[in-house]
Amino acid sequence: MKNRQLEVSDYGLYLSSPDKMSSFLKNEKIRSKKILDFFQKNHDEYLKSIKEGSWLPILPIDSIEYIVEVNKALSGDWIEVHKIEGFNLEVGEDNSVWVGSLSNLHNWNLKDYTNDKDFNSYETLDGEICYGSHRFDVPKGKYLVNIKGYKRKEELEYPEANYGFLFEFEKIDEFDGYKDPREDDKYSFNVAQM
């Protein structure tokens, strides 16, 4: 299978189980579809969502194309440039995790993230297909996510991606604390600048 390429806009990407995100929003009585905006304005709710593993934002990163994989090593054409371990993420009844561009959270709709499709995409005016999110099968449960950043050994021409992320899921029984990926003084994810 070909690597899953993601077109990132808004300088970041996210991981989330749509079922878990939907449950969190319902339990917290959050009605806004503008999830990103809501969490930017409500820091306590943002921290609670991270602690409970409702989603995992990865930013800031350059707004370019990336290869994304879950629990599947990238080929020998890639070099690992960094690794950060131990971020909370919970997978709900849908047994899936979506990796997508943060721009998807400007107007989030659960119906866009069903298990009968593997990605969300759009077509540019010149006919190029851009992928905004990809679905990965991950069994229900609580996980610690390790984030590995990669770059190609030999750079390819656009529209090929020259940077990528591998997300490794380690199943656990319960979360014990949490790491906030937005603590920029602790965590750097911008593989294009490494």
Side-chain angles (χ1 to χ4, degrees), residues 65-121:
E65 296 75 22
Y66 295 90
I67 297 298
V68 291
E69 286 296 342
V70 170
N71 293 332
K72 178 187 167 201
L74 287 131
S75 71
D77 298 337
W78 297 87
I79 302 167
E80 183 180 322
V81 293
H82 86 101
K83 178 179 182 178
I84 305 174
E85 299 179 322
F87 293 96
N88 296 355
L89 193 66
E90 185 171 353
V91 178
E93 299 291 334
D94 50 4
N95 294 299
S96 67
V97 168
W98 286 77
V99 179
S101 173
L102 274 181
S103 61
N104 297 338
L105 302 182
H106 285 302
N107 192 15
W108 190 79
N109 187 340
L110 182 61
K111 294 177 185 175
D112 293 336
Y113 303 94
T114 59
N115 280 355
D116 62 344
K117 58 185 178 177
D118 293 328
F119 55 84
N120 289 314
S121 64

Side-chain angles (χ1 to χ4, degrees), residues 17 19-20 52-54 88-97 138-145 169-175:
S17 160
D19 181 64
K20 177 59 183 165
E52 291 184 14
S54 299
N88 296 355
L89 193 66
E90 185 171 353
V91 178
E93 299 291 334
D94 50 4
N95 294 299
S96 67
V97 168
V138 179
K140 177 183 174 181
K142 290 181 169 72
Y143 295 88
L144 291 180
V145 179
F169 283 64
E170 176 188 338
K171 195 160 191 178
I172 59 172
D173 293 328
E174 293 297 326
F175 295 129

Side-chain angles (χ1 to χ4, degrees), residues 176-192:
D176 181 20
Y178 68 97
K179 292 181 180 179
D180 177 4
R182 291 297 298 127
E183 291 183 19
D184 296 339
D185 55 331
K186 288 185 182 180
Y187 309 113
S188 175
F189 301 104
N190 200 1
V191 293

